[in-house]
Amino acid sequence: MKTTTLKPADPEWIIIDAQGQNLGRLSTKIATILRGKHKPSFSPHQLCGDHVIVINAQKLFFHPTKHRRKIYVKHSGYLGHLKTFSLQSMIDKKPTAMIELAVKGMLPKNRLSRQMLKRLHVYAGAEHKHEAQQPKVLTVTK
């Protein structure tokens, strides 16, 4: 008996509007699409996911007290170099980094995840530069 694996098809381009969406629910949907688990030809050892464009990253929905409670931590490896950022400062400075960090944590920790993250394109506003790829609109329910 031979085990056959399908060749991954050409990736599609999917656009998701993040306005009014919850960060966790949105990022699980994005991670599923990047990984390719929504396709019948899914293989965990192949790059078979699609490109995902996320617009309006600055308009995510958060609980009112989440702006104070949520803390992002970064450490350089040297003693005393622990840096913390609140959610509000991330929204002000880098609104795209919130989605990228959430999706990165949901992907497997291997070489494929770095290739999957290259297929994630996050924009703070409503404009993006991928009109030539003719992305399909995907609506994520709350």
Side-chain angles (χ1 to χ4, degrees):
M1 304 219 56
K2 284 188 175 181
T3 303
T4 60
T5 52
L6 298 173
K7 289 184 180 179
D10 290 335
E12 296 177 354
W13 287 76
I14 297 172
I15 187 165
I16 297 175
D17 189 5
Q19 183 172 1
Q21 299 292 328
N22 189 346
L23 177 63
R25 293 178 193 268
L26 178 71
S27 53
T28 55
K29 188 68 176 173
I30 293 170
T32 304
I33 295 169
L34 286 175
R35 200 139 181 235
K37 291 186 103 174
H38 65 291
K39 294 183 177 183
S41 61
F42 169 69
S43 283
H45 66 282
Q46 288 182 337
L47 185 63
C48 55
D50 296 330
H51 288 267
V52 177
I53 305 165
V54 182
I55 58 172
N56 292 326
Q58 201 166 20
K59 298 177 183 176
L60 282 170
F61 170 75
F62 293 104
H63 191 270
T65 60
K66 182 71 100 172
H67 294 283
R68 293 190 317 264
R69 290 184 291 131
K70 177 79 175 157
I71 301 293
Y72 290 96
V73 179
K74 178 179 156 185
H75 197 278
S76 68
Y78 290 100
L79 287 174
H81 287 250
L82 180 71
K83 295 182 182 180
T84 59
F85 306 100
S86 67
L87 177 65
Q88 188 60 47
S89 66
M90 287 288 277
I91 292 171
D92 295 339
K93 293 179 184 175
K94 283 187 173 181
T96 60
M98 297 179 305
I99 295 176
E100 291 168 356
L101 285 173
V103 171
K104 181 181 178 182
M106 294 180 185
L107 292 176
K109 280 52 173 183
N110 54 21
R111 294 179 196 153
L112 270 182
S113 69
R114 291 185 280 283
Q115 294 175 7
M116 289 176 203
L117 281 173
K118 289 179 184 176
R119 293 183 173 199
L120 176 63
H121 312 278
V122 184
Y123 296 97
E127 289 82 28
H128 62 90
K129 58 181 181 180
H130 303 286
E131 286 90 15
Q133 282 75 25
Q134 299 170 349
K136 296 178 183 176
V137 177
L138 179 72
T139 56
V140 179
T141 57
K142 288 186 180 181

